[in-house]
């Protein structure tokens, strides 16, 4: 395993996937009936993979910690899903989607994987429409599109502000059809606690029934991890409360390399933190940047007055506002990619222009859009010479139709009416581009262990473009993994059922039990959340939007100390053999406490700024990211060696045959 | 503010539950209802007591995991939101708040405030899908134009998050609003029409098997639904069911 083999097929870029599908082994339908596959996680990637694998004829077992597959956190994705359909005739193509994604990722992703993603993107839309996903349509009955950050075309399909929900319910319905046929066995309220290797191959998992507390063994010929990202290492993020890294981390500890852990996306438009009690952060969809304009006051005095409640933002004239994204990036304006928008907000707030109590917020203003839409609507409604209040009323109706649920969500949380006063937003941890290293087939460095969706590292480089997570999850689940896994399983048609009686299962189960017993035995004084919040603070302050070597070195030490404290002093009431939410949390936080250290180590290694990874030491005079292609044009894939800080680095050099590496510019 | 909480505690499905009183101080208006419970739990854990278990996950009103009957209303006193979006500014200093699990025969209590809603999954498994393979080998997405009106109406029905508030609000614990939302979404779209008759019959059969009650059109479900799913969907399902039964 010394050398990473990405298994990228030879030949021209556009032909690689077709050629590969023709070259790989298939399993005949009769043999598929004798092969079992475990899918952990039932979001877009896991749900889609489970449904498709079952349709093909494999016996599938799915696992999710939620009470139903429909509740996986893909459901919270709001804005949309990209596809290179070019329905708008604005010059889109597979190549352009591929190019935008590589550039958006700051040239740190694999060409072949990304091209394949673009290639199958159109199929996803066809598939979802056939499933009954109610995408937004135009009056003529055809599908509507909107724009997202970092691109110059309209290629985003959407279902109101609930695109993730609708796509997930589509995958869930496809799963239900297979559950109904008996081809999928769904283990809900079950959490994977470890992976089991037999003769070096992934052959099963140890899971805990979260209701009864029972520790169970499940065997299969292959294991698919589609368990999402690790943003909750920051405690505060837009992830669901239960989102965790445990499955991926346990696989890492058993031989799967973890790639680019420091590549994290901080999303620019989230509702700012309101106090110490805060348990999670809420995203306001990037689609809002289609119509919202981001600004802070030009003069510091005005910012101070707004913070103190002495001045209202609506009292400031156009000249007194600094639309800093439009000023700094005239070509893309408010639709620059997320990493760029987030850093720009931080820069203004650090300079003292923040607009809420804590000084960590900027405005997202819809007044101009309301006016523009109102005028247009008056025109098409035959109202001549409309007065100002009519224009605003009509404009607000248009905005409500487009973003109504987001505006309502904002109003419920902040208690302010965003139609009348600008929203306040600030960046928050949202997505992790890093994840388990996988080859072109989505196989990790453990044979038979596959990884799909956000949990793998493969497609988004150092920064993900908006509306591309849904695309990748479904592409991996519906269209990539079901093919590529067959190539591996073709060798298993004579293996027969895998027994859970093997000594390897016995040994791993024992380890899992001992870990949980150790957690329960803590004589401690502090709750799990106490530690999780502390870890989050270290991560946010030292491994967040801006990083430097000194902070990262400190973070590595502090996290190791916190981990030691946690294992000695955490307090978990209740018992192991019953429903116990504190124990569930503790097991997850224990893994975050290890991952956090590797995260910081990875960020320390990468002496450059690229995408979401911004090292203060490496920036241009204008404060833009300074990438170093000569020394860091590689994927860092870490091999576990006992302690996170001892992880061994393997480099996968990124080869660009079709794209010229350039400084990313959105000016 | 200071609050007096009366919370349902139940060890597991087999045990008998009871209401337990708690007093909680230092609650702020900007806290969400679940963050208020987090603080209570933090206090309980520090005293070595078992925290109150409740279901929650996304905490932004979309996953449908959180539930809670708050002062007799599913998701509490505010409208068009889930419990996780309810904020404490809706309450006053000195208030007593009664917190119970969703009550229905088809939603047995698992522990404290957590109930088992797998009956909803089984209704969906009985027919809540369009029988197309996920191969992507289908017609182009724009091959069949669908009127914006139908697409929007299907989307409104599809917005259901499967939280179960409709059942908890209904004096008969009926699941008609939940089931009809899925039936409607597909009945409104040409892709879903093909097997509409089978779908409605299979889903309604499963709904009855799960032990949900009958609909007597009180409309409580619509009022309490966090996503504003309309009663029109129930009317549509009744129509679909009747015509499917006649056609046999």
């Amino acid at each position: 395993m010394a050398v990473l083999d990405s298994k990228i097929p030879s030949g021209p870029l556009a032909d690689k996937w077709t050629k590969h599908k023709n070259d790989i082994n298939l399993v005949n339908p009769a043999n598929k009936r004798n092969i079992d596959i475990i899918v952990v996680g039932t979001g877009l990637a896991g749900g889609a993979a489970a449904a498709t694998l079952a349709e093909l004829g494999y016996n599938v077992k799915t696992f999710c910690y939620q009470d139903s597959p429909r509740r996986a956190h893909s459901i919270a994705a709001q804005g949309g899903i990209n596809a290179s359909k070019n329905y708008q005739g604005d010059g889109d193509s597979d190549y352009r989607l591929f190019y935008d994604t590589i550039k958006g990722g700051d040239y740190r992703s694999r060409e072949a994987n990304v091209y394949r993603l673009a290639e199958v993107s159109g199929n996803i839309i066809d598939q979802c429409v056939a499933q009954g996903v109610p995408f937004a349509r135009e009056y003529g009955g055809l599908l509507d599109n909107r724009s997202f950050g970092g691109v110059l075309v309209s290629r985003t399909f959407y279902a109101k502000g609930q695109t993730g929900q609708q796509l997930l319910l589509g995958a869930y319905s496809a799963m239900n059809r297979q559950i109904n046929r008996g081809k999928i066995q769904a283990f809900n309220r079950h959490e994977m606690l470890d992976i089991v290797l037999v003769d070096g191959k992934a052959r099963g998992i140890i899971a805990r029934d979260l209701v009864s507390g029972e520790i169970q063994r499940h065997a299969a010929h292959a294991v698919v991890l589609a368990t999402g990202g690790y943003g909750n290492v920051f405690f505060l993020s837009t992830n669901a409360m239960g989102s965790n890294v445990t499955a991926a981390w346990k696989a890492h500890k058993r031989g799967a390399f973890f790639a680019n852990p420091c590549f994290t996306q901080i999303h620019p438009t989230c509702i700012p933190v309101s106090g110490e009690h805060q348990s999670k952060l809420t995203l306001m969809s990037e689609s809002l940047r289609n119509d919202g304009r981001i600004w802070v006051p030009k003069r510091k005095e005005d910012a101070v007055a707004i913070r103190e409640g002495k001045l209202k933002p609506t009292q400031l004239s156009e000249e007194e506002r600094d639309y800093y994204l439009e000023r700094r990036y005239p070509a893309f304006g408010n639709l620059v990619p997320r990493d760029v928008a987030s850093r720009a907000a931080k820069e203004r707030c650090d300079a003292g222009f923040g607009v809420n109590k804590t000084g960590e917020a900027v405005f997202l203003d819809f007044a101009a859009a309301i006016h523009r839409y109102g005028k247009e609507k008056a025109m098409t409604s035959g109202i001549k010479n409309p007065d100002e209040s009519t224009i605003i009323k009509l404009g607000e109706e248009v905005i409500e139709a487009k973003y109504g649920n987001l505006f309502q969500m904002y109003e419920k949380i902040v208690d302010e009416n965003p139609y009348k006063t600008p929203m306040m937003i600030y960046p928050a941890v949202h997505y992790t581009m890093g994840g388990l290293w996988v080859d072109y087939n989505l196989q990790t460095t453990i044979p038979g262990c596959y990884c799909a969706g956000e949990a793998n590292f493969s497609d988004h480089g150092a920064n993900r473009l908006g509306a591309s997570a849904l695309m990748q999850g479904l592409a991996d689940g519906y269209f990539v993994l079901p093919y590529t896994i067959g190539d591996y399983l073709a060798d298993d048609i004579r293996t027969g059922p895998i027994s859970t009686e093997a000594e390897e299962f016995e040994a791993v189960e024992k380890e899992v039990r001992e870990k949980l017993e150790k957690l329960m035995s803590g004589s401690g004084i502090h709750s799990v959340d106490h530690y999780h919040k502390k870890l989050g603070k270290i991560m946010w302050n030292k491994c967040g939007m801006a990083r430097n070597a000194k902070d990262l070195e400190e973070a590595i030490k502090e996290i190791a100390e916190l981990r030691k404290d946690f294992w000695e002093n955490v307090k978990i009431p209740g018992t192991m053999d019953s429903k116990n939410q504190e124990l569930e949390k503790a097991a997850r936080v224990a893994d975050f406490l290890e991952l956090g250290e590797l995260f910081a180590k990875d960020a320390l290694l990468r002496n450059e700024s690229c995408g979401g990874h911004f090292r203060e030491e490496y920036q241009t005079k204008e404060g833009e990211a300074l990438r170093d292609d000569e020394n860091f044009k590689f994927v860092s894939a870490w091999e576990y060696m006992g302690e996170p800080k001892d992880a061994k680095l393997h480099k996968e050099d990124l080869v660009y045959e079709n794209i010229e590496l350039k400084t990313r510019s959105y000016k | 503010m200071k609050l007096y909480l009366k919370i349902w505690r139940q060890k597991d499905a087999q045990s008998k539950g009871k209401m337990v009183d708690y007093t909680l101080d230092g609650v702020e208006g900007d806290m969400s209802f679940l963050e208020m419970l987090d603080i209570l739990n933090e206090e309980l854990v520090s005293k070595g007591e078992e925290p109150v278990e409740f279901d929650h996950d996304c905490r932004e009103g979309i996953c449908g995991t959180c539930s809670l009957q708050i002062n007799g209303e599913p998701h509490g006193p505010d409208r068009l939101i889930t419990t996780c979006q309810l904020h404490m500014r809706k309450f006053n200093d000195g208030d007593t708040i009664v917190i119970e699990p969703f009550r229905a025969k088809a939603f047995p209590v698992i522990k404290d405030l957590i109930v088992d809603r797998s009956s909803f999954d089984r209704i969906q498994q009985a027919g809540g899908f369009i029988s197309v393979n996920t191969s992507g080998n289908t017609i182009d997405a724009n091959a069949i134009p669908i009127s914006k009106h139908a697409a929007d109406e299907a989307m409104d029905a599809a917005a259901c998050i499967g939280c179960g508030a409709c059942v908890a609000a209904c004096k008969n614990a009926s699941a008609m609003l939940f089931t009809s939302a899925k039936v409607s979404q597909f009945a409104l779209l040409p892709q879903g029409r093909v097997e509409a008759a089978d779908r409605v019959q299979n889903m309604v059969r499963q709904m009855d098997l799960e032990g949900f009650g009958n609909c007597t059109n009180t409309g409580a479900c619509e009022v309490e639904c966090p996503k504003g799913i309309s009663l029109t969907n129930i009317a549509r399902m009744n129509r679909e069911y009747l015509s499917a039964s006649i056609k046999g």
Side-chain angles (χ1 to χ4, degrees):
Chain A
M1 274 199 299
V3 182
L4 290 169
D5 180 2
S6 57
K7 303 210 174 107
I8 293 170
S10 58
L13 183 67
D15 301 337
K16 283 183 196 287
W17 179 230
T18 307
K19 178 175 176 296
H20 189 61
K21 280 194 291 183
N22 289 337
D23 289 350
I24 58 181
N25 290 314
L26 298 176
V27 180
N28 93 32
N31 284 329
K32 286 192 183 110
R33 288 197 286 272
N34 302 323
I35 289 180
D36 308 318
I37 301 174
I38 284 172
V39 179
V40 187
T42 58
L44 288 183
T52 307
L53 290 167
E55 240 168 50
L56 289 170
Y58 297 108
N59 309 308
V60 177
K61 280 183 176 184
T62 61
F63 292 81
C64 66
Y65 72 77
Q66 299 89 345
D67 70 331
S68 165
R70 67 178 293 156
R71 308 208 198 280
H73 198 54
S74 305
I75 203 158
Q78 297 167 351
I81 176 166
N82 289 329
S84 54
K85 280 284 198 186
N86 194 27
Y87 281 162
Q88 304 303 325
D90 54 3
D92 204 3
S93 63
D94 290 350
Y95 182 83
R96 200 173 274 277
L97 173 52
F98 155 75
Y99 176 80
D100 287 344
T101 308
I102 296 267
K103 177 186 172 195
D106 218 352
Y107 306 92
R108 290 294 174 266
S109 45
R110 252 189 225 146
E111 277 193 344
N113 285 54
V114 177
Y115 195 87
R116 174 176 66 188
L117 179 67
E119 200 179 336
V120 303
S121 67
N123 242 337
I124 298 174
I125 304 303
D126 299 341
Q127 169 58 37
C128 291
V129 167
Q131 268 173 0
V133 170
F135 284 122
R137 287 176 184 268
E138 313 225 27
Y139 283 102
L142 302 183
L143 292 160
D144 192 19
N145 290 116
R146 52 168 61 141
S147 306
F148 260 61
V151 302
L152 297 169
V153 293
S154 273
R155 64 159 73 100
T156 306
F157 296 78
Y158 66 101
K160 279 201 169 167
Q162 291 121 282
T163 317
Q165 178 199 28
Q166 293 310 315
L167 296 174
L168 181 62
L169 293 181
Y172 167 70
S173 73
M175 269 183 76
N176 281 335
R177 181 167 163 243
Q178 300 306 321
I179 294 172
N180 196 35
R181 290 176 62 213
K183 290 303 291 181
I184 294 180
Q185 251 188 304
F187 293 84
N188 307 335
R189 290 198 197 268
H190 280 66
E191 185 155 15
M192 168 182 156
L193 293 181
D194 214 333
I195 189 165
V196 181
L197 275 57
V198 178
D199 300 330
K201 291 177 175 173
R203 290 301 197 190
I205 63 169
I206 304 295
R208 181 166 177 267
D209 177 337
L210 298 180
V211 175
S212 69
E214 186 195 359
I215 310 285
Q216 304 168 339
R217 302 175 189 180
H218 295 273
H221 296 86
V223 175
V224 177
L225 303 181
T227 48
Y230 47 86
N232 271 349
V233 68
F234 287 84
F235 184 70
L236 285 181
S237 80
T238 65
N239 286 5
M241 299 300 286
S243 301
N244 68 81
V245 75
T246 291
W249 191 253
K250 288 293 163 31
H252 171 57
K253 290 175 85 165
R254 298 218 178 261
F257 292 2
F258 208 106
N260 299 336
C262 82
F263 287 167
T264 313
Q265 177 158 86
I266 317 267
H267 195 294
T269 54
C270 299
I271 299 178
V273 175
S274 73
E276 276 298 307
H277 56 267
Q278 193 101 23
S279 60
K280 79 149 270 163
L281 297 170
T282 302
L283 174 77
M284 289 283 104
S285 167
E286 177 161 314
S287 62
L288 293 172
R289 286 199 274 142
N290 270 293
D291 286 314
R293 299 177 70 195
I294 294 175
W295 64 276
V296 292
K298 248 183 207 158
R299 286 194 303 260
K300 223 177 254 184
E301 312 84 271
D302 290 342
V304 174
I306 288 176
R307 281 206 287 274
E308 292 169 350
K310 290 177 190 154
L311 184 70
K312 289 203 173 97
T314 44
Q315 290 172 308
L316 287 183
S317 68
E318 281 295 299
E319 294 71 42
E320 292 167 315
R321 302 173 176 197
D322 176 16
Y323 295 95
Y324 57 85
L325 288 176
E326 298 170 28
R327 167 171 60 80
R328 285 179 67 178
Y329 308 100
F332 283 71
N334 292 295
L335 282 173
V336 291
R338 292 173 175 177
D339 54 335
V340 177
S342 289
R343 270 200 301 281
K346 179 177 159 51
E347 188 276 328
R348 282 293 81 190
C349 290
D350 287 353
F353 294 90
V355 293
N356 72 345
K357 274 185 293 189
T358 61
E360 290 193 329
V362 298
F363 289 125
L364 178 62
D365 197 331
F366 291 87
I370 288 173
H371 215 262
R372 177 161 45 86
Y373 285 126
K375 267 190 170 159
E376 190 183 317
K377 185 80 190 176
M379 203 102 91
T380 56
S381 313
I383 304 170
K384 281 182 189 139
N385 305 320
D387 59 16
E388 187 66 16
S389 68
T390 310
I391 291 176
I392 288 176
K393 187 174 156 283
L394 292 171
E396 286 179 358
E397 281 168 19
V398 176
I399 291 287
E400 189 183 353
K402 285 188 134 179
Y403 311 111
N405 66 320
L406 299 170
F407 276 54
Q408 184 235 18
M409 199 192 277
Y410 182 86
E411 189 168 355
K412 292 289 178 190
I413 294 174
V414 182
D415 207 22
E416 276 184 356
N417 180 350
Y419 293 98
K420 303 295 179 199
T421 185
M423 285 184 180
M424 284 188 286
I425 52 156
Y426 198 68
V429 175
H430 179 57
Y431 185 91
T432 51
M433 283 74 68
L436 291 183
W437 186 90
V438 289
D439 62 18
Y440 188 72
N441 296 317
L442 305 184
Q443 186 167 234
T444 68
T445 45
I446 299 176
C449 176
Y450 287 75
C451 188
E454 188 181 349
N456 76 29
F457 88 105
S458 75
D459 294 353
H460 305 295
N463 173 57
R464 178 175 65 75
L465 289 180
S468 284
L470 301 185
M471 172 173 69
Q472 187 220 338
L474 289 181
D476 284 1
Y478 283 139
F479 299 128
V480 178
L481 191 120
Y483 285 104
T484 57
I485 205 169
D487 191 37
Y488 172 80
L489 291 170
D491 290 339
D492 260 326
I493 54 174
R494 285 187 197 85
T495 308
I498 307 292
S499 166
T500 54
E501 298 305 313
E503 58 184 28
E504 288 88 348
F505 275 91
E506 177 95 40
V508 178
E509 185 190 325
K510 188 163 168 273
E511 270 183 59
V512 168
R513 271 181 200 285
E514 284 169 358
K515 266 251 151 90
L516 294 179
E517 278 159 11
K518 193 166 173 222
L519 282 173
M520 291 301 300
S521 70
S523 55
I525 32 179
H526 295 301
S527 69
V528 178
D529 279 357
H530 166 87
Y531 291 100
H532 198 177
K533 283 181 183 176
K534 275 196 150 176
L535 172 64
K537 283 234 163 82
I538 300 173
M539 295 300 296
W540 182 247
N541 292 334
K542 300 188 169 166
C543 314
M545 264 190 284
R547 304 153 177 181
N548 62 58
K550 182 175 155 286
D551 281 354
L552 290 167
E553 276 161 10
E554 281 169 21
I556 291 172
K557 265 187 25 214
E558 288 170 26
I559 294 168
E561 282 162 18
L562 187 65
R563 186 167 67 237
K564 187 165 170 284
D565 183 6
F566 169 86
W567 279 100
E568 283 166 8
N569 289 316
V570 71
K571 179 168 188 165
I572 304 163
T575 60
M576 230 174 91
D577 50 6
S578 65
K579 179 107 190 77
N580 190 335
Q581 287 178 326
E582 288 297 303
L583 178 61
E584 293 163 25
K585 279 196 284 186
R588 294 167 191 159
V589 171
D591 292 328
F592 280 135
L593 281 164
E594 295 184 5
L595 164 80
E597 193 178 311
L598 183 66
F599 186 126
K601 184 182 164 90
D602 186 50
L604 183 61
L605 163 94
R606 200 165 274 280
N607 287 327
E608 64 163 349
S609 294
C610 63
H613 169 67
F614 190 77
R615 282 281 299 272
E616 286 164 347
E617 304 96 316
Y618 308 98
Q619 53 180 310
T620 65
K621 271 191 213 121
E622 298 85 38
E624 304 292 341
L626 198 60
R627 217 174 59 218
D628 178 356
D629 291 331
E630 202 168 310
N631 296 304
F632 292 96
K633 190 172 60 59
F634 62 79
V635 174
S636 54
W638 298 95
E639 181 181 3
Y640 187 77
M641 303 299 282
E643 285 283 322
K645 67 170 166 31
D646 301 330
K648 186 174 160 198
L649 177 68
H650 300 262
K651 294 180 186 177
E652 179 196 339
D653 187 37
L654 291 164
V655 181
Y656 291 94
E657 291 170 336
N658 300 276
I659 280 187
E660 185 197 344
L661 274 77
K662 284 189 195 151
T663 299
R664 204 163 59 126
S665 169
Y666 293 93
K667 292 182 187 287
Chain B
M1 51 184 134
K2 189 174 185 178
L3 297 170
Y4 302 95
L5 307 172
K6 291 182 179 297
I7 302 180
W8 183 262
R9 301 301 309 259
Q10 182 174 335
K11 193 167 166 282
D12 51 36
Q14 289 74 39
S15 309
K16 242 180 123 177
K18 62 169 191 230
M19 300 300 291
V20 176
D21 291 351
Y22 300 95
T23 307
L24 190 62
D25 216 344
V27 176
E28 290 162 33
D30 280 345
M31 288 177 187
S32 73
F33 196 84
L34 298 184
E35 283 165 355
M36 182 273 292
L37 287 179
D38 288 344
I39 292 174
L40 172 71
N41 279 343
E42 194 77 4
E43 280 186 13
L44 292 177
V45 172
S46 71
K47 285 192 274 184
E49 290 177 37
E50 277 199 52
V52 179
E53 300 232 351
F54 57 91
D55 262 334
H56 64 100
D57 204 24
C58 79
R59 295 206 178 189
E60 49 188 84
I62 192 72
C63 73
T65 310
C66 67
S67 51
L68 303 189
Q69 194 85 352
I70 300 163
N71 288 340
E73 284 189 83
H75 298 302
D78 208 353
R79 290 288 167 263
L80 294 173
I81 53 160
T82 54
T83 294
C84 64
Q85 294 173 294
L86 176 64
H87 278 68
M88 296 314 292
R89 61 180 82 95
K90 293 282 167 191
F91 298 89
N92 299 309
D93 187 37
D95 275 1
T96 298
I97 306 176
V98 180
I99 309 168
E100 293 171 273
F102 280 179
R103 303 282 189 194
K105 185 178 143 202
F107 289 169
V109 172
I110 289 175
K111 185 176 184 180
D112 293 340
L113 302 169
I114 298 178
V115 297
D116 178 355
R117 288 169 289 193
S118 54
S119 46
F120 268 15
D121 283 327
R122 290 187 292 273
I123 294 174
Q124 298 290 349
Q125 287 154 18
F129 48 78
I130 290 174
S131 298
V132 291
N133 279 349
T134 63
S135 59
N137 294 324
T138 177
I139 52 172
D140 184 83
N142 260 347
I144 305 175
I146 299 174
S147 86
K148 179 169 163 53
H149 180 71
D152 287 350
E153 225 182 330
M155 175 63 218
D156 289 343
C160 168
I161 55 173
C163 65
C166 47
V167 174
C170 178
K171 60 178 178 158
N172 306 324
S174 164
M176 285 287 274
L177 194 65
F178 168 77
T179 309
S180 68
K182 201 53 162 184
V183 166
S184 284
Q185 177 196 341
F186 290 146
L188 283 159
L189 298 170
Q191 310 92 299
R193 288 290 347 155
V194 182
E195 51 190 331
D198 287 340
R199 176 181 306 113
V200 68
Q201 295 189 76
N202 290 337
M203 290 181 78
V204 168
R205 186 185 311 120
Q206 190 62 38
M207 180 180 81
D208 291 340
L209 279 175
E210 296 291 344
F212 290 102
N214 293 319
C215 173
T216 48
N217 284 315
T218 64
C221 53
E222 185 188 57
V223 175
E224 297 294 353
C225 174
K227 295 294 149 187
I229 304 293
S230 158
L231 278 183
T232 316
N233 292 304
I234 297 186
R236 186 179 292 107
M237 181 163 83
N238 284 334
R239 221 160 43 231
E240 290 284 326
Y241 187 76
L242 193 65
S243 80
S245 314
I246 292 168
K247 282 180 202 151

